[in-house]
Amino acid sequence: MVEVNGEDIDAQRQWQQQLAALGAEPDMPDWEPAAYENWQLAERRLLNPGSAGGPAFLVSLRPATGPMPSWQAGDIAEVLPGANDPARIAAYLSACGLGRDVEVEGKSLADHLSRALIPDHPVESAGELVAALRPLPHREYSIASVPGDGSLDLLVRQVERTDGTLGLGSGWLTHFASPGGAVSLRLRANEGFHAPAGGRRLILIGNGTGLAGLRGHLRQSRAEGRGGHWLLFGERSRAHDALLPGEVDGWLADGTLTASTAHGRAMRTAGAMCSTCWPKPRRTCGTGWKTAPRSSSAAAFRAWPRRLTTPCAVRWATNGWKRWPKPGSIAAISIEAVIS
Ligand SMILES: Cc1cc2nc3c(=O)[nH]c(=O)nc-3n(C[C@H](O)[C@H](O)[C@H](O)COP(=O)(O)OP(=O)(O)OC[C@H]3O[C@@H](n4cnc5c(N)ncnc54)[C@H](O)[C@@H]3O)c2cc1C
């Protein structure tokens, strides 16, 4: 649900994003552009060396000037990519038969294309190209930290297109933006994914970089002295894809988490169970809380262990996850990935 109060630009952007999720043109310019702030890329660290999947990075940002702004766990960072992949620009200009140094309005075509959406189809002339250009769109990332951490952290999977060039937003954050360099970013409140009131225990489910928003919640909860949550995290291989194993161990040790289980098959099983726990089983995509229905929560949670397949059950048992939470003690479940 998107609540709109007056001319709430934040809500309009949420609405626009929901339309894109339903199939509207994803690269449309913002209806009401909100200002970006200047941030600095403080650190970038590869989290899954040796993985069979795409590289995933921890990207830490700090405001270029002034104090850390405020946000809550669950909020979103909208990043304006600083430039297109130069290889994409070169390939597009070559497909059009245009030289990169051809000047229009005092700028080379390569410069024009650097900060503009590259058209889907080749054009016939440099003038036609420049007239057709639209500004680069932003990309959204779940914030993986809280302001008290001293940095705004993102977990970003580098997307590689079929032609070998890098995705616009992920390529910018994981490759083209230089450490110490500038990043344009704005914060968007995401009320639907703020922690439920009452400080109750949470079941957090995610895979891959879906860990980002969950990390934000665990860090917020830890800072507030709350704990007892569960984390179900899925990735291909425990050896290479755990992303932040040290942090998870730390949360288990200090009680922020009372249970955590990981990866591939276990995750899919947990996801399937999750869908079947609800009166209307459904596939779930994206970031949000699925609050357990009061009437059926007891039965739903009791049904969980029976639905486990062996590898998952073994893993849960070895994690000491033998006792199920009292029905009703779980406020909500967060699902941060497409689960099938
Ligand atoms: C609310 C929200 C939160 C998000 N949080 C995160 C996050 O924490 N970490 C994160 O890494 N991403 C996150 N994303 C996804 C992110 O916004 C981008 O979609 C993603 O980085 C790819 O964008 P790009 O510009 O790099 O690729 P593009 O240039 O848009 O696309 C490159 C190619 O890859 C395909 N593609 C696009 N997205 C994906 C994808 N996710 N996987 C595989 N192929 C893809 C496209 O169809 C295209 O062919 C989030 C998205 C939303 C809506």
Side-chain angles (χ1 to χ4, degrees):
M1 185 173 72
V2 179
E3 284 182 46
V4 184
N5 191 0
E7 292 184 10
D8 182 344
I9 294 171
D10 224 28
Q12 285 184 31
R13 285 184 5 246
Q14 279 189 50
W15 178 244
Q16 190 176 9
Q17 191 248 321
Q18 298 287 335
L19 291 181
L22 289 172
E25 160 71 78
D27 286 333
M28 60 189 164
D30 294 334
W31 289 335
E32 183 71 50
Y36 290 93
E37 285 101 39
N38 294 324
W39 290 68
Q40 188 185 47
L41 201 167
E43 190 196 343
R44 180 164 59 211
R45 180 156 53 95
L46 179 65
L47 298 178
N48 59 345
S51 169
F57 292 83
L58 174 72
V59 176
S60 297
L61 301 136
R62 296 208 185 95
T65 54
M68 187 69 73
S70 67
W71 69 84
Q72 285 190 49
D75 286 345
I76 299 289
E78 294 183 345
V79 173
L80 181 66
N84 275 308
D85 185 336
R88 263 200 95 205
I89 297 175
Y92 179 74
L93 287 174
S94 150
C96 299
L98 295 168
R100 52 174 289 119
D101 296 325
V102 173
E103 290 218 350
V104 178
E105 296 166 7
K107 250 174 35 177
S108 72
L109 286 184
D111 282 349
H112 276 290
L113 280 175
S114 170
R115 304 210 58 188
L117 206 52
I118 297 180
D120 290 338
H121 304 292
V123 290
E124 297 202 340
S125 70
E128 188 191 338
L129 172 57
V130 171
L133 293 181
R134 288 190 291 152
L136 284 179
H138 70 259
R139 291 289 185 255
E140 310 202 328
Y141 296 91
S142 302
I143 303 177
S145 60
V146 286
D149 292 327
S151 62
L152 184 149
D153 294 347
L154 308 174
L155 301 184
V156 184
R157 175 88 59 191
Q158 190 177 82
V159 172
E160 190 179 317
R161 295 164 180 265
T162 45
D163 63 4
T165 61
L166 298 183
L168 175 62
S170 62
W172 173 245
L173 286 170
T174 65
H175 185 77
F176 294 112
S178 328
V183 172
S184 296
L185 180 154
R186 63 192 181 199
L187 301 171
R188 176 164 72 70
N190 186 22
E191 281 173 25
F193 195 40
H194 286 171
R200 291 162 77 190
R201 296 163 63 201
L202 309 171
I203 297 179
L204 302 163
I205 304 177
N207 64 353
T209 55
L211 184 60
L214 311 184
R215 182 185 191 246
H217 277 290
L218 289 166
R219 288 191 160 221
Q220 182 165 294
S221 176
R222 187 173 181 275
E224 291 167 358
R226 291 183 290 105
H229 311 298
W230 293 4
L231 175 67
L232 284 83
F233 175 65
E235 257 297 3
R236 288 179 173 84
S237 120
R238 183 170 282 178
H240 302 294
D241 297 304
L243 297 192
L244 297 164
E247 286 193 27
V248 173
D249 288 348
W251 292 322
L252 284 166
D254 68 20
T256 308
L257 287 174
T258 51
S260 150
T261 186
H263 71 105
R265 282 186 63 189
M267 184 60 202
R268 276 201 295 281
T269 314
M273 285 187 327
C274 218
S275 323
T276 54
C277 286
W278 270 265
K280 276 190 196 157
R282 59 188 161 183
R283 289 170 67 108
T284 310
C285 173
T287 298
W289 296 107
K290 305 294 162 203
T291 307
R294 282 172 203 279
S295 56
S296 63
S297 60
F301 285 115
R302 275 199 211 103
W304 273 41
R306 283 201 295 276
R307 293 181 198 282
L308 287 169
T309 58
T310 312
C312 191
V314 168
R315 203 138 30 233
W316 284 28
T318 53
N319 279 330
W321 200 345
K322 291 176 191 141
R323 296 193 55 188
W324 304 97
K326 270 194 349 216
S329 69
I330 298 289
I333 293 182
S334 151
I335 303 179
E336 267 255 351
V338 179
I339 287 170
S340 57

